[in-house]
Amino acid sequence: MNLRYSMNRISITTILLGIGLYCTQAMAGDWPVFGGNWDHQRHAEFSQITPANVAQLGTAWEFDTGVSSSFQATPIVVEGVMYVSLPFNHVVALHADSGKLIWRYTHDRLKNRKMCCGPANRGVAVSGGKVFMGTVDSRLLALNARTGQKLWDIDVTKGEQGVQEDAASLGSQFDTQGGKLEVSGASGAGINMAPMVFDGKVIVGITGVGYGLHLDSPDPDAPLGSVVGIAGNYGRRGFMAAYDVDTGALAWKFDTVPDKGWEGKFTQTTLDGVPLPRNIEQEKAAAANYPDAWQFGGGSAWSTPAIDRENGILYFGTGNPSPQMEGSSRPGDNLYTASLVALDVRTGQLKWHYQQVPHDMWGYDVASPPVLFSTTVKGKPVKAVGQAGKTGWFYVHNRITGELLFKSEAFVPQNNMFTLPTEQGNVIYPGVIGGSNWSPVSVDEQRRMVFIAGIHWPVKYQLHELKAKGNKPALKYSSMSPIEEGDKYGLLSAIHLDTGKLLWQHKVKAPLIGGVLSTQTGLVFSGEGSGEFFALDANTGKRVWQQGNPAGVNAPPISYEVEGKQYLAVAVGGNKLFGFKQGQTIKAWALTTK
């Protein structure tokens, strides 16, 4: 009976695909949006895979994408079809129960535009028979979900204010250790995030606008090198924007840096009271010398927004101000960078913002996507929005007013935070890497837990001075360099949603980057750079299952059902920035019979 029903359903789906009536409307077994549901909780309600039988998980299928590079995408599953964006913005549609290819879109990048932030893409949005994707060359595309044919293609940065001084032009001054290092990076614009669709609009933001210089090894498999901060007029300001799903016409745009008032209140502390090493009088005196600093202000939009549909509010995080790590040419708080921002989802008007780090000089982007849930305050339920910071705290806010309800206990070690660089080098953690980086969290409201993929990786924060060279003047700059020889590791942490208390932590050998999935049955799934895909008991943090893979599992896992069978799926493609082996497969698991 089940086999016959499955065959009939596949036949019907094939017919619908053939006549163009397949509308990609989400059903109960789907993973229809980036975060699994509108609250971005990445929590699967399916009951088939449990702690008692998780040991019976086996490979259901694998799909070779043919593209070996850092692979960060969340697969989307709608009506038995899986849609996945690949590195360099290619897209595939697969049968979600077999991994067999339905169609493939091959992206043709603009030849005159460099990638600002690497080839990785974090996913697509699927709605109304269309697949939407932002690209590394700052375009927004709509594809036919049935065929993969391109329906429209817009350049979201056309006519935008660009870079006025490219920091990479300073590269010849740097000590590259006899050619062992390469000077790379500049300010630019691209789209990494998976879009969201709401009320006939597709919503997406740009990244890379606060990008500075990197001193990297020419070895393509080497991890992140030094991040360099230089004062000057380079960069641009970021934005979040909404476009018509049928035409791509701009509906609204919110600039992450305002043209008036970006200096803020010149606060001496973070909003939760941590002192900052700022000379406020000096900054105020210098402000008149930098009236146009907002034009280069940064504030990338790295994370896919969460949308409170009942109240019509969109939430997203912003990146560091530009220039990165160097604050002298941008006096003030540098609003709305390094912030959690809430907008009216229909108009793009600002509702509130919370700046985690005013005048950020450490690369503390608000990078991990926000998540919506209910918390308890003084015995009463409160609708909340939470965000796992690069700072190592999980911030919980009243989602209507923006009030900080509490921040969690630190989920990674903290040392020398918010201190300035020195000539000898000041070791801080967490630093530019995090904390929690772009990895999405998972929330189990029934168990009152949020699960966070964390990173412990100390960095050396150092001051440098380059001597005058030819017609180029002397140059002072700062750098943050991950310490390769030091102790670094990952921590998957469970934190209580009502108190912020740490409930348990699971330590792994390498920093955790990729994301977390939880299930109603009490499992927590994540992956390691070594290639291990693993499951923990949600109540204890004990590892109960794992399977090795030939490349790093550094993307967010998902779960879905087809014909009553539950699957887990994840991109197995590694991550170059962290030195994790790259690969080119999408892999799915299901229970095997013994």
Side-chain angles (χ1 to χ4, degrees), residues 442-522:
S442 179
V443 164
D444 184 335
E445 285 198 277
Q446 181 180 348
R447 292 178 175 82
R448 311 306 301 153
M449 294 178 178
V450 57
F451 305 102
I452 301 173
I455 297 167
H456 173 63
W457 195 341
V459 298
K460 181 182 286 188
Y461 195 15
Q462 195 166 9
L463 281 176
H464 308 265
E465 183 171 1
L466 295 174
K467 295 180 180 179
K469 192 174 183 179
N471 61 350
K472 295 184 177 181
L475 177 68
K476 291 184 178 181
Y477 71 97
S478 59
S479 70
M480 269 195 179
S481 306
I483 299 176
E484 284 301 317
E485 67 275 11
D487 187 23
K488 55 184 184 291
Y489 51 82
L491 287 168
L492 204 161
S493 303
I495 291 174
H496 200 286
L497 289 175
D498 300 318
T499 66
K501 300 292 185 183
L502 277 170
L503 300 174
W504 53 254
Q505 291 191 296
H506 181 84
K507 185 177 179 179
V508 299
K509 291 182 180 179
L512 279 174
I513 190 77
V516 189
L517 166 73
S518 60
T519 73
Q520 177 267 334
T521 59

Side-chain angles (χ1 to χ4, degrees), residues 39 59 61 75 115 122 155 170 378 435 465 493 542 563:
D39 291 341
T59 302
W61 56 261
M115 293 186 300
R122 292 174 187 161
D155 182 349
L170 300 168
K378 296 181 180 179
E465 183 171 1
S493 303
K542 180 182 177 181
E563 306 303 345

Side-chain angles (χ1 to χ4, degrees), residues 65-87:
T65 68
V67 183
S68 182
S69 191
S70 297
F71 202 170
Q72 300 175 358
T74 292
I76 299 296
V77 177
V78 178
E79 267 288 275
V81 178
M82 178 182 288
Y83 303 88
V84 190
S85 59
L86 311 182

Side-chain angles (χ1 to χ4, degrees), residues 154-467:
I154 62 168
D155 182 349
V156 302
T157 56
K158 187 176 182 179
E160 289 284 320
Q161 174 70 40
V163 178
Q164 290 198 8
E165 178 186 331
D166 188 344
S169 66
L170 300 168
S172 61
Q173 285 185 266
F174 285 91
D175 176 12
T176 61
Q177 298 180 15
K180 294 179 182 179
L181 299 177
E182 289 185 351
V183 180
S184 65
S187 296
I191 302 173
N192 287 93
M193 71 167 61
M196 288 291 285
V197 177
F198 179 83
D199 197 25
K201 307 294 186 295
V202 55
I203 302 167
V204 75
I206 64 169
T207 60
V209 295
Y211 212 61
L213 288 182
H214 284 183
L215 301 182
D216 297 318
S217 168
D219 179 355
D221 295 320
L224 177 71
S226 296
V227 181
V228 176
I230 310 171
N233 290 340
Y234 62 90
R236 65 195 308 165
R237 57 179 178 169
F239 63 80
M240 182 71 73
Y243 304 85
D244 185 271
V245 294
D246 294 320
T247 66
L250 179 66
W252 57 255
K253 187 177 82 166
F254 173 81
D255 292 312
T256 56
V257 172
D259 54 3
K260 293 182 180 178
W262 101 299
E263 63 276 7
K265 297 180 179 180
F266 291 88
T267 178
Q268 190 68 67
T269 69
T270 64
L271 296 182
D272 51 300
V274 181
L276 295 171
R278 298 176 63 181
N279 187 328
I280 298 300
E281 290 186 6
Q282 187 178 77
E283 284 186 43
K284 288 181 176 180
N289 298 324
Y290 302 96
D292 299 325
W294 60 269
Q295 294 184 38
F296 320 102
S300 292
W302 291 104
S303 57
T304 296
I307 299 173
D308 179 340
R309 292 186 291 175
E310 180 182 355
N311 294 294
I313 304 176
L314 174 149
Y315 308 87
F316 73 103
T318 61
N320 57 265
S322 182
Q324 181 169 293
M325 292 160 46
E326 174 51 63
S328 62
S329 59
R330 48 173 173 85
D333 296 343
N334 312 144
L335 301 178
Y336 300 104
T337 64
S339 298
L340 182 65
V341 177
L343 306 178
D344 185 309
V345 69
R346 292 181 173 86
T347 66
Q349 294 297 307
L350 180 69
K351 302 282 285 187
W352 57 261
H353 80 280
Y354 182 91
Q355 191 171 37
Q356 290 181 8
V357 185
H359 194 70
D360 173 37
M361 293 184 288
W362 302 271
Y364 287 137
D365 312 65
V366 179
S368 178
V371 60
L372 307 181
F373 54 91
S374 290
T375 188
T376 302
V377 178
K378 296 181 180 179
K380 295 182 178 180
V382 177
K383 295 291 187 181
V385 55
Q387 197 277 330
K390 272 192 175 182
T391 57
W393 291 296
F394 184 67
Y395 298 82
V396 178
H397 301 264
N398 181 312
R399 74 171 81 158
I400 306 300
T401 67
E403 175 193 0
L404 180 68
L405 301 175
F406 60 86
K407 67 179 186 182
S408 73
E409 295 180 334
F411 56 81
V412 292
Q414 296 172 323
N415 182 64
N416 281 340
M417 292 176 63
F418 308 121
T419 57
L420 296 176
T422 64
E423 292 182 359
Q424 295 76 25
N426 185 20
V427 176
I428 70 171
Y429 47 86
V432 65
I433 304 170
S436 183
N437 204 283
W438 64 267
S439 304
V441 305
S442 179
V443 164
D444 184 335
E445 285 198 277
Q446 181 180 348
R447 292 178 175 82
R448 311 306 301 153
M449 294 178 178
V450 57
F451 305 102
I452 301 173
I455 297 167
H456 173 63
W457 195 341
V459 298
K460 181 182 286 188
Y461 195 15
Q462 195 166 9
L463 281 176
H464 308 265
E465 183 171 1
L466 295 174
K467 295 180 180 179

Side-chain angles (χ1 to χ4, degrees), residues 29-31 44 46 49 517-519 557-561 566-569:
D30 294 343
W31 188 279
F46 313 127
I49 301 171
L517 166 73
S518 60
T519 73
I558 69 164
S559 186
Y560 60 93
E561 284 188 348
Q566 184 181 355
Y567 295 84
L568 302 165

Side-chain angles (χ1 to χ4, degrees), residues 6-7 9-10 60-62 77 79-82 94-100 102 560-563 565 567 588 590:
S6 178
M7 290 176 67
R9 186 180 185 279
I10 291 171
W61 56 261
E62 289 184 68
V77 177
E79 267 288 275
V81 178
M82 178 182 288
L94 311 172
H95 288 289
D97 57 353
S98 67
K100 291 183 178 179
I102 299 172
Y560 60 93
E561 284 188 348
V562 179
E563 306 303 345
K565 185 174 184 177
Y567 295 84

